[in-house]
Amino acid sequence: MSDIKNVPESKTVRSKAEPELRFPDFNGVNLFQGLLGELSDVRDGTHDSPKFYDSGFPLVTSKNLKADGTLDLNDVNLISREDYISINKRSGVSVGDILFGMIGTIGNPVLLKEDGFAIKNVALLKEKEKLKNDFLIHYLSGSNIARQFYVNNVGGTQKFIALGQIRSLEINFPQLPEQQKIADFLSSVDKKIEQLTEKHRLLTEYKKGVMQQIFTQQIRFKDNQGNDYPEWEHRPFTDVLSPVSTKKFQIKSNEIQDLGKYPVVDQGQKNIAGYSDYEEKLLKTNSLIVYGDHTTVVKFIDFDFIVGADGTKVLDACSNDDLRYLFYNLMYNNISAEGYKRHFSILKKINLQIPILEEQQKIANFLTEIDHKIDQAWSILEQTKAFKKGLLQKMFV
């Protein structure tokens, strides 16, 4: 097999590394090693601070590079045509280039599918002959690059990486046919992740729309004989839900552990904040609603748990209402978070729509089925992301 062409021998050498996972056609074929700055045309954006306008050309910075490999132009400043032309004389972007964050969040490489903007505080990687960007985009997300940043004390507490450090990244790469095969395979995995992400988004939007129709009574359920249920009541919050005293079941946030016997539920976004071994703090229950006084997060908890930190309100039904229905009702009627303030005192002033118990149960069962589909879609999505992460660890060295 011939050596790499058009790259000086002193700059590109055969690599002794061997990936753990490789396509059978290429087993035993040598990899090559070189520095990114020699294999790609590595530049950066402007270091100036151009004036912003209400209309003009987007100026992309690190904040616009997302962890899922997409470019987000929703939150972007606009510059004049003159500044756009001036910046792009030095670092003009083209479709197929790679952007790489240098300040703030380091990394988040993006393979460009569009252009028409200028860049600031991001690295620009333009393709040369022997290292293709559709291969490199996956390599830059692998553990080898993260390890090099860690060794150089970049990406930990440090929030800046110099262009020279990016150019000095060591790249182990195969010849073009294998690069292309790896790129095609990993791109197909990315496509699957995109499809699963969209499926999860659509299910979530569907649930939101259905809840709107249910709680405005545009959709009504019928009984088993096909008859309409009675009209709904509107009852004060305090007649429907009451706080559960949690003082003896509560632990401080610094007492929450990553591992332990019992789950801890707090007012954060995650259903389980962590774990604890304090059995005497365990709140035993069939089901309860947890409400974040500071966050307005609403959770339905159907297992024994320990209450985590201040601001975690625990609620139970005052009477024989279906608690899962009340959970969905509360999600629909929830107030918007207004910073770090006490929201429960505002929430408990609202009225809740209360149908008879049988219709409550039908509504709760219907929405729970949608939640199951959303959870299933999320689970498959996370498994596919983990599958790709494992591939990156095994296919790149």
Side-chain angles (χ1 to χ4, degrees):
M1 180 175 291
S2 61
D3 287 338
I4 297 292
K5 296 179 181 178
N6 301 325
V7 180
E9 286 286 335
S10 60
K11 293 186 178 181
T12 303
V13 299
R14 292 188 184 275
S15 173
K16 296 180 181 180
E18 179 69 22
E20 182 181 345
L21 184 63
R22 207 168 182 186
F23 290 105
D25 292 349
F26 302 100
N27 282 336
V29 179
N30 286 325
L31 297 182
F32 293 85
Q33 185 182 85
L35 301 182
L36 181 58
E38 296 163 353
L39 297 167
S40 300
D41 180 357
V42 182
R43 316 176 190 178
D44 62 356
T46 182
H47 298 277
D48 298 329
S49 298
K51 186 177 179 180
F52 300 142
Y53 296 90
D54 292 334
S55 61
F57 292 84
L59 181 65
V60 166
T61 64
S62 292
K63 71 178 182 180
N64 302 111
L65 312 183
K66 300 305 176 182
D68 62 357
T70 58
L71 180 67
D72 182 6
L73 297 178
N74 290 320
D75 181 18
V76 68
N77 293 310
L78 303 177
I79 60 175
S80 67
R81 174 178 288 275
E82 291 75 17
D83 285 333
Y84 168 74
I85 292 173
S86 176
I87 294 170
N88 279 357
K89 284 180 180 178
R90 175 176 177 272
S91 52
V93 298
S94 303
V95 172
D97 290 348
I98 293 175
L99 298 183
F100 192 92
M102 298 174 63
I103 294 180
T105 301
I106 294 172
N108 287 356
V110 173
L111 182 65
L112 293 180
K113 300 177 182 178
E114 57 183 310
D115 51 23
F117 55 85
I119 57 173
K120 176 182 171 68
N121 297 333
V122 298
L124 173 65
L125 281 57
K126 289 183 172 290
E127 185 177 281
K128 287 186 179 180
E129 182 182 357
K130 294 303 175 182
L131 183 65
K132 296 301 182 181
N133 273 359
D134 55 358
F135 168 84
L136 180 60
I137 187 68
H138 299 292
Y139 193 96
L140 291 172
S141 298
S143 58
N144 181 35
I145 296 298
R147 187 164 51 250
Q148 291 187 58
F149 283 155
Y150 180 80
V151 169
N152 291 304
N153 196 29
V154 177
T157 57
Q158 191 173 339
K159 294 299 180 183
F160 168 76
I161 179 172
L163 189 64
Q165 290 173 298
I166 296 175
R167 287 173 172 159
S168 297
L169 291 171
E170 290 186 352
I171 309 295
N172 292 293
F173 63 100
Q175 292 214 17
L176 294 180
E178 188 175 0
Q179 285 186 41
Q180 194 61 58
K181 193 159 188 175
I182 291 170
D184 290 344
F185 175 63
L186 291 176
S187 294
S188 70
V189 178
D190 282 341
K191 184 67 175 178
K192 182 65 175 178
I193 290 173
E194 289 176 12
Q195 292 169 345
L196 291 169
T197 301
E198 179 66 4
K199 180 178 180 179
H200 181 265
R201 186 192 69 80
L202 290 173
L203 283 169
T204 302
E205 286 298 310
Y206 171 69
K207 176 190 170 184
K208 183 178 178 181
V210 166
M211 287 180 65
Q212 170 74 22
Q213 292 181 308
I214 287 175
F215 290 110
T216 56
Q217 299 183 59
Q218 297 175 53
I219 293 177
R220 289 294 306 271
F221 288 82
K222 296 182 182 294
D223 65 21
N224 294 335
Q225 286 72 47
N227 300 317
D228 293 335
Y229 284 113
E231 291 301 311
W232 292 11
E233 297 179 4
H234 288 77
R235 286 194 247 151
F237 180 98
T238 51
D239 290 351
V240 179
L241 288 164
S242 61
V244 175
S245 178
T246 60
K247 189 173 182 179
K248 65 180 181 179
F249 304 110
Q250 196 170 48
I251 63 174
K252 297 178 181 179
S253 57
N254 61 8
E255 296 177 309
I256 301 175
Q257 304 170 353
D258 293 334
L259 298 172
K261 292 182 180 179
Y262 309 110
V264 178
V265 177
D266 66 3
Q267 63 173 330
Q269 292 288 343
K270 293 182 179 179
N271 220 36
I272 296 175
Y275 297 87
S276 172
D277 293 324
Y278 289 145
E279 185 174 3
E280 64 273 17
K281 295 285 187 179
L282 193 63
L283 175 56
K284 296 185 177 181
T285 177
N286 291 324
S287 57
L288 288 167
I289 294 173
V290 169
Y291 183 79
D293 198 5
H294 302 305
T295 62
T296 73
V297 171
V298 187
K299 305 175 187 179
F300 184 84
I301 305 299
D302 56 1
F303 50 81
D304 298 344
F305 66 98
I306 294 172
V307 180
D310 182 51
T312 306
K313 296 289 184 182
V314 179
L315 307 173
D316 200 0
C318 293
S319 57
N320 193 34
D321 292 308
D322 186 277
L323 191 65
R324 193 176 285 273
Y325 166 81
L326 297 180
F327 159 70
Y328 288 117
N329 191 307
L330 192 55
M331 286 185 68
Y332 174 75
N333 286 291
N334 198 8
I335 60 177
S336 299
E338 299 178 6
Y340 196 77
K341 64 181 289 186
R342 298 283 184 178
H343 296 87
F344 185 68
S345 59
I346 303 171
L347 182 73
K348 65 183 183 182
K349 295 177 182 178
I350 68 172
N351 292 328
L352 299 175
Q353 309 95 320
I354 306 297
I356 65 169
L357 180 61
E358 187 176 312
E359 189 174 5
Q360 289 181 35
Q361 292 168 337
K362 286 198 172 186
I363 291 171
N365 290 339
F366 178 71
L367 292 175
T368 299
E369 279 299 310
I370 298 177
D371 272 342
H372 286 162
K373 292 179 180 178
I374 292 173
D375 291 343
Q376 184 180 39
W378 179 258
S379 177
I380 296 172
L381 173 60
E382 290 301 297
Q383 289 172 22
T384 307
K385 288 180 178 179
F387 172 66
K388 184 190 174 184
K389 184 177 180 181
L391 290 174
L392 294 178
Q393 291 174 341
K394 294 179 179 181
M395 297 183 79
F396 298 129
V397 291

